[in-house]
Short mmCIF file of all heavy atoms in Angstrom, two decimals:
data_model
loop_
_atom_site.label_atom_id
_atom_site.label_comp_id
_atom_site.label_asym_id
_atom_site.label_seq_id
_atom_site.Cartn_x
_atom_site.Cartn_y
_atom_site.Cartn_z
N ASP A 449 -6.34 36.19 160.44
CA ASP A 449 -6.32 34.84 160.98
C ASP A 449 -6.10 34.85 162.49
O ASP A 449 -5.18 35.50 163.00
CB ASP A 449 -5.19 34.04 160.30
CG ASP A 449 -5.30 32.55 160.59
OD1 ASP A 449 -6.41 32.09 160.89
OD2 ASP A 449 -4.27 31.87 160.51
N ALA A 450 -6.94 34.13 163.21
CA ALA A 450 -6.80 33.91 164.66
C ALA A 450 -6.86 35.20 165.48
O ALA A 450 -6.28 35.29 166.55
CB ALA A 450 -5.51 33.16 164.97
N MET A 451 -7.55 36.23 164.99
CA MET A 451 -7.72 37.45 165.79
C MET A 451 -8.82 37.21 166.81
O MET A 451 -9.98 37.04 166.45
CB MET A 451 -8.06 38.65 164.91
CG MET A 451 -8.10 39.94 165.70
SD MET A 451 -8.29 41.44 164.68
CE MET A 451 -10.05 41.38 164.34
N ARG A 452 -8.45 37.21 168.05
CA ARG A 452 -9.41 36.89 169.10
C ARG A 452 -10.44 38.01 169.27
O ARG A 452 -10.20 39.16 168.92
CB ARG A 452 -8.70 36.64 170.43
CG ARG A 452 -7.73 35.48 170.38
CD ARG A 452 -7.26 35.03 171.73
NE ARG A 452 -6.72 36.10 172.56
CZ ARG A 452 -6.12 35.89 173.72
NH1 ARG A 452 -6.00 34.65 174.18
NH2 ARG A 452 -5.65 36.90 174.44
N TYR A 453 -11.57 37.65 169.85
CA TYR A 453 -12.67 38.60 170.03
C TYR A 453 -12.22 39.81 170.85
O TYR A 453 -12.59 40.94 170.54
CB TYR A 453 -13.84 37.90 170.73
CG TYR A 453 -15.04 38.79 170.92
CD1 TYR A 453 -15.93 39.03 169.88
CD2 TYR A 453 -15.27 39.42 172.15
CE1 TYR A 453 -17.02 39.86 170.05
CE2 TYR A 453 -16.35 40.26 172.33
CZ TYR A 453 -17.23 40.48 171.28
OH TYR A 453 -18.32 41.31 171.44
N GLU A 454 -11.43 39.58 171.90
CA GLU A 454 -11.02 40.69 172.76
C GLU A 454 -10.13 41.69 172.01
O GLU A 454 -10.14 42.89 172.32
CB GLU A 454 -10.30 40.18 174.01
CG GLU A 454 -9.17 39.18 173.78
CD GLU A 454 -7.82 39.86 173.66
OE1 GLU A 454 -7.74 41.09 173.84
OE2 GLU A 454 -6.84 39.16 173.36
N ILE A 455 -9.40 41.23 171.01
CA ILE A 455 -8.60 42.14 170.18
C ILE A 455 -9.52 42.98 169.30
O ILE A 455 -9.29 44.18 169.10
CB ILE A 455 -7.59 41.36 169.32
CG1 ILE A 455 -6.59 40.63 170.22
CG2 ILE A 455 -6.86 42.29 168.36
CD1 ILE A 455 -5.61 39.75 169.48
N ALA A 456 -10.58 42.35 168.80
CA ALA A 456 -11.56 43.07 167.99
C ALA A 456 -12.23 44.17 168.81
O ALA A 456 -12.51 45.26 168.31
CB ALA A 456 -12.60 42.11 167.43
N VAL A 457 -12.49 43.90 170.10
CA VAL A 457 -13.09 44.91 170.98
C VAL A 457 -12.17 46.12 171.10
O VAL A 457 -12.60 47.27 170.98
CB VAL A 457 -13.38 44.32 172.38
CG1 VAL A 457 -13.83 45.44 173.33
CG2 VAL A 457 -14.44 43.24 172.30
N GLU A 458 -10.87 45.86 171.31
CA GLU A 458 -9.91 46.95 171.44
C GLU A 458 -9.77 47.72 170.12
O GLU A 458 -9.68 48.95 170.12
CB GLU A 458 -8.55 46.43 171.88
CG GLU A 458 -7.54 47.53 172.13
CD GLU A 458 -6.20 47.03 172.60
OE1 GLU A 458 -5.90 45.82 172.41
OE2 GLU A 458 -5.43 47.83 173.17
N LEU A 459 -9.75 46.99 169.01
CA LEU A 459 -9.66 47.63 167.70
C LEU A 459 -10.85 48.53 167.45
O LEU A 459 -10.70 49.66 166.97
CB LEU A 459 -9.57 46.56 166.60
CG LEU A 459 -9.51 47.07 165.16
CD1 LEU A 459 -8.28 47.93 164.94
CD2 LEU A 459 -9.52 45.89 164.18
N LYS A 460 -12.02 48.06 167.80
CA LYS A 460 -13.24 48.86 167.65
C LYS A 460 -13.15 50.15 168.47
O LYS A 460 -13.46 51.25 167.98
CB LYS A 460 -14.45 48.06 168.09
CG LYS A 460 -15.74 48.87 168.20
CD LYS A 460 -16.74 48.15 169.09
CE LYS A 460 -17.60 49.17 169.80
NZ LYS A 460 -18.54 48.55 170.73
N GLU A 461 -12.70 50.04 169.72
CA GLU A 461 -12.59 51.21 170.59
C GLU A 461 -11.59 52.22 170.03
O GLU A 461 -11.83 53.43 170.04
CB GLU A 461 -12.19 50.78 172.00
CG GLU A 461 -13.29 50.00 172.72
CD GLU A 461 -12.82 49.44 174.05
OE1 GLU A 461 -11.60 49.53 174.34
OE2 GLU A 461 -13.67 48.93 174.80
N ASN A 462 -10.46 51.71 169.53
CA ASN A 462 -9.44 52.60 168.97
C ASN A 462 -9.93 53.30 167.70
O ASN A 462 -9.67 54.49 167.49
CB ASN A 462 -8.16 51.82 168.67
CG ASN A 462 -7.42 51.44 169.93
OD1 ASN A 462 -7.60 52.06 170.98
ND2 ASN A 462 -6.59 50.42 169.86
N LEU A 463 -10.64 52.55 166.85
CA LEU A 463 -11.15 53.13 165.62
C LEU A 463 -12.23 54.18 165.91
O LEU A 463 -12.30 55.22 165.24
CB LEU A 463 -11.71 52.04 164.71
CG LEU A 463 -10.67 51.12 164.06
CD1 LEU A 463 -11.36 49.98 163.33
CD2 LEU A 463 -9.77 51.90 163.11
N ASN A 464 -13.06 53.92 166.90
CA ASN A 464 -14.10 54.90 167.26
C ASN A 464 -13.49 56.18 167.81
O ASN A 464 -14.06 57.27 167.66
CB ASN A 464 -15.06 54.29 168.28
CG ASN A 464 -16.20 53.52 167.62
OD1 ASN A 464 -16.60 53.85 166.51
ND2 ASN A 464 -16.70 52.50 168.29
N LYS A 465 -12.33 56.06 168.45
CA LYS A 465 -11.65 57.24 168.98
C LYS A 465 -10.95 58.03 167.88
O LYS A 465 -10.88 59.26 167.93
CB LYS A 465 -10.61 56.83 170.03
CG LYS A 465 -11.18 56.36 171.34
CD LYS A 465 -10.05 55.93 172.28
CE LYS A 465 -10.60 55.36 173.57
NZ LYS A 465 -9.52 54.86 174.46
N ASN A 466 -10.42 57.31 166.90
CA ASN A 466 -9.51 57.94 165.94
C ASN A 466 -10.07 58.12 164.54
O ASN A 466 -9.35 58.56 163.63
CB ASN A 466 -8.21 57.14 165.86
CG ASN A 466 -7.51 57.04 167.21
OD1 ASN A 466 -7.38 58.03 167.91
ND2 ASN A 466 -7.09 55.85 167.59
N THR A 467 -11.32 57.76 164.30
CA THR A 467 -11.91 57.94 162.98
C THR A 467 -13.22 58.71 163.12
O THR A 467 -13.78 58.85 164.20
CB THR A 467 -12.20 56.58 162.30
OG1 THR A 467 -13.15 55.84 163.09
CG2 THR A 467 -10.92 55.77 162.16
N ASN A 468 -13.71 59.19 161.99
CA ASN A 468 -14.96 59.96 162.00
C ASN A 468 -16.20 59.06 161.94
O ASN A 468 -17.30 59.51 162.22
CB ASN A 468 -14.98 60.93 160.81
CG ASN A 468 -13.92 62.02 160.96
OD1 ASN A 468 -13.64 62.46 162.07
ND2 ASN A 468 -13.35 62.44 159.84
#
Side-chain angles (χ1 to χ4, degrees):
D449 192 24
M451 186 172 79
R452 299 193 307 188
Y453 182 81
E454 51 92 4
I455 297 176
V457 172
E458 184 179 19
L459 178 61
K460 170 200 149 184
E461 291 174 352
N462 288 338
L463 289 173
N464 273 330
K465 288 178 184 176
N466 301 314
T467 62
N468 293 325

